[in-house]
Amino acid sequence: MNTFYHGDCLFVLNHDIKPESIDLIYLDPPFFTGKIQRGSKKWQPGAMEISFEDSKRFWAEKADLMREKAPMWLRHIAVQRPAFASYLFYMMIRLKECHRVLKKTGSIYLHCDYRAAHYLKMIMDEIFDYKNLINEIIWWYKTGGASARHFSRKHDTIFFYGKSKNYTYNNIKEKSIVDKSKGYNPITKQFIDEKGNTCVWINPRDVWDIQHINMHDFTERVGYPTQKPEALLEKIIKASSNEGDLVLDPFCGCGTATIVASKLNRKWIGIDIDTSSREKGKLPTAFQVIFNRGHSLFQQAKYITRDLSEVLEMDGHAFEIWVNEFYKATKPQPDRGVDGITQTGTPIQSKVYEIKYDKLSQFINDAKYHSKVPKPVTKVIAVSQTGFDDSARKLKFEVETKENIKIQLITPNEMLKLPDA
């Protein structure tokens, strides 16, 4: 259950997470700052705030899809503000997948800033139903910096939706200091806290005063540009999940949500697309930060890549393991030319080199006579890290025509293709 995925959350949500399996989703996606990560070889904290496709590539690949799938108001925005529309569409198709994997009793918290908050609310209203908006939460914080040209921006917005009216909510009362100068006469019982303040317990409110991570906070700060305080995630996870529940963060960054979920005895899944450059065999920057924050957390979890560059640098053994994991297949013992068998009985062969006629022919023959492969054989899967030559494609045509066995020839690039919206 406890798993880190490196890749686009759109793919992971679609391929790796079962429908209605998640109890709580918290997502802190890239804000629309105009800073775009464009395949730089260096880790750029400012640019990591935006990791979606840049607008030129978006309009080359997604314009027709937006005309077909986007609501009318979003198509209207696209005419005047194409870059902003591409961001909203990027979020829309991922939020739809969040809705699909969330349990009927589940909740989702979407963390936004002022640039896109209420446009994202319109998307959430369409996907989760406006009747299922529970709270618009204002996270108020104190940070450095002020402006003489406008009111200082010192809050983020968090939209809290249930998937239905039957959502989990734990009403955890909060301490409130009694202001005696105002003649406050609470009905509830007063008490003195550890600092000598007269206090009462109250139901939590939708404005949260939680200290932001700052330059002088050496207890939590890890140098990650969009790091959020553990107290913020603790409040959310305690309120909207119970011990043993499954918490998902589709944009996990430096892993605060997964760390807090672990501390609170929840199961968790963290996904991050981190595209920054890394040394061969090393973790991407975001996951290295998580590893450095809590070695035991990372060691107790699975790390699964859905990143093409990582897959293409694997050796033969690692690649075979990855392919079997991707297809939820098991390796037969002895293998006798079959590297994996799926849960539905389809045999798989995985190679890092180009597959040709002779190798494919041998695999098909091995699959036919393997004791662990169900008979008759109706489908086989051949996966090549490098590709297939024309002779392999010719054999595929011959076998499919004469023997009615479906031959799937596939590469990691094709396996990791993002699903249509």
Side-chain angles (χ1 to χ4, degrees):
M1 281 292 190
N2 296 340
T3 309
F4 288 114
Y5 287 96
H6 177 210
D8 193 317
C9 65
L10 178 61
F11 183 90
V12 176
L13 288 165
N14 182 271
H15 179 270
D16 294 292
I17 301 179
K18 294 178 181 179
E20 298 190 350
S21 62
I22 305 296
D23 295 286
L24 170 63
I25 299 174
Y26 167 81
L27 63 162
D28 179 18
F31 291 169
F32 188 75
T33 63
K35 300 173 182 177
I36 299 174
Q37 177 94 344
R38 286 191 173 91
S40 171
K41 294 182 179 180
K42 294 183 178 180
W43 185 51
Q44 302 180 72
M48 287 188 71
E49 289 183 289
I50 292 295
S51 56
F52 59 88
E53 307 100 319
D54 68 43
S55 59
K56 288 183 180 179
R57 186 160 70 87
F58 175 87
W59 290 115
E61 297 177 0
K62 300 290 187 182
D64 290 340
L65 194 59
M66 175 174 271
R67 279 193 293 270
E68 179 185 349
K69 301 289 187 179
M72 183 64 73
W73 63 265
L74 182 50
R75 282 178 273 165
H76 177 74
I77 290 173
V79 175
Q80 299 296 325
R81 302 177 65 190
F84 185 47
S86 72
Y87 170 78
L88 294 176
F89 188 73
Y90 171 94
M91 288 302 305
M92 184 187 80
I93 59 179
R94 285 155 180 80
L95 287 167
K96 282 184 176 179
E97 287 298 313
C98 287
H99 183 272
R100 186 183 67 84
V101 303
L102 192 63
K103 289 181 180 177
K104 288 184 172 63
T105 55
S107 304
I108 181 170
Y109 289 74
L110 174 60
H111 197 132
C112 318
D113 82 334
Y114 69 93
R115 301 173 185 89
H118 293 89
Y119 294 93
L120 290 172
K121 182 183 180 298
M122 291 172 71
I123 290 173
M124 291 291 286
D125 284 348
E126 295 211 19
I127 296 172
F128 285 86
D129 192 331
Y130 71 94
K131 295 177 183 177
N132 288 325
L133 173 66
I134 301 166
N135 282 113
E136 177 184 7
I137 297 164
I138 302 301
W139 172 36
W140 175 71
Y141 44 77
K142 299 174 184 177
T143 56
S147 173
R149 298 282 295 169
H150 56 73
F151 300 109
S152 298
R153 299 185 178 105
K154 302 297 178 184
H155 83 274
D156 289 353
T157 301
I158 303 173
F159 293 115
F160 169 26
Y161 282 76
K163 190 169 182 178
S164 70
K165 295 300 181 184
N166 189 30
Y167 58 89
T168 297
Y169 182 70
N170 301 311
N171 187 34
I172 302 169
K173 292 186 179 292
E174 298 177 335
K175 181 176 71 174
S176 178
I177 298 175
V178 174
D179 186 350
K180 294 182 178 179
S181 67
K182 294 184 178 180
Y184 184 69
N185 184 23
I187 298 173
T188 53
K189 187 179 294 185
Q190 296 180 351
F191 65 95
I192 307 299
D193 70 4
E194 66 280 0
K195 295 182 180 180
N197 298 309
T198 302
C199 303
V200 293
W201 292 109
I202 63 171
N203 290 327
R205 296 165 179 166
D206 62 3
V207 177
W208 298 354
D209 179 4
I210 297 175
Q211 181 59 46
H212 204 293
I213 301 290
N214 58 54
M215 293 297 293
H216 306 292
D217 185 356
F218 298 107
T219 58
E220 289 190 37
R221 182 169 62 86
V222 296
Y224 200 83
T226 59
Q227 184 181 356
K228 300 302 184 290
E230 291 190 17
L232 180 71
L233 274 300
E234 182 177 329
K235 193 177 185 77
I236 290 170
I237 292 171
K238 281 184 174 179
S240 292
S241 69
N242 298 308
E243 289 193 11
D245 282 355
L246 183 53
V247 178
L248 167 67
D249 184 348
F251 298 85
C252 72
C254 62
T256 302
T258 62
I259 288 170
V260 175
S262 181
K263 288 180 178 179
L264 296 176
N265 297 317
R266 274 69 166 171
K267 297 185 287 289
W268 49 265
I269 296 173
I271 311 169
D272 201 85
I273 197 173
D274 191 341
T275 57
S276 58
S277 182
R278 58 181 175 76
E279 294 181 30
K280 184 177 179 179
K282 299 293 185 181
L283 288 170
T285 304
F287 295 99
Q288 186 61 54
V289 171
I290 297 170
F291 180 85
N292 293 341
R293 289 183 74 180
H295 297 273
S296 59
L297 174 77
F298 210 100
Q299 291 167 357
Q300 294 167 9
K302 290 182 180 179
Y303 173 80
I304 298 175
T305 186
R306 297 291 181 246
D307 177 80
L308 182 61
S309 64
E310 258 184 309
V311 174
L312 293 180
E313 69 184 26
M314 291 177 176
D315 61 23
H317 179 66
F319 184 62
E320 180 184 303
I321 292 173
W322 180 83
V323 170
N324 280 345
E325 180 279 322
F326 186 92
Y327 285 108
K328 305 298 183 284
T330 55
K331 184 176 179 64
Q333 297 295 337
D335 63 45
R336 293 179 179 169
V338 174
D339 296 327
I341 302 175
T342 70
Q343 295 174 2
T344 56
T346 300
I348 299 174
Q349 187 175 73
S350 310
K351 300 299 177 188
V352 294
Y353 51 79
E354 184 181 60
I355 294 179
K356 300 181 180 180
Y357 187 106
D358 58 344
K359 181 58 67 175
L360 181 60
S361 177
Q362 183 63 52
F363 167 51
I364 296 170
N365 191 62
D366 290 338
K368 288 179 183 177
Y369 295 101
H370 201 289
S371 61
K372 300 290 180 65
V373 176
K375 308 298 185 296
V377 175
T378 58
K379 179 182 178 181
V380 301
I381 300 173
V383 185
S384 170
Q385 200 179 63
T386 310
F388 306 84
D389 75 350
D390 288 341
S391 69
R393 296 187 183 91
K394 179 176 180 291
L395 179 60
K396 165 184 164 68
F397 178 79
E398 291 174 357
V399 173
E400 289 184 337
T401 302
K402 296 177 181 179
E403 302 185 46
N404 201 31
I405 300 175
K406 181 174 176 57
I407 312 296
Q408 184 176 9
L409 307 180
I410 194 164
T411 63
N413 186 52
E414 294 163 327
M415 295 165 70
L416 295 171
K417 183 180 179 182
L418 290 178
D420 290 334

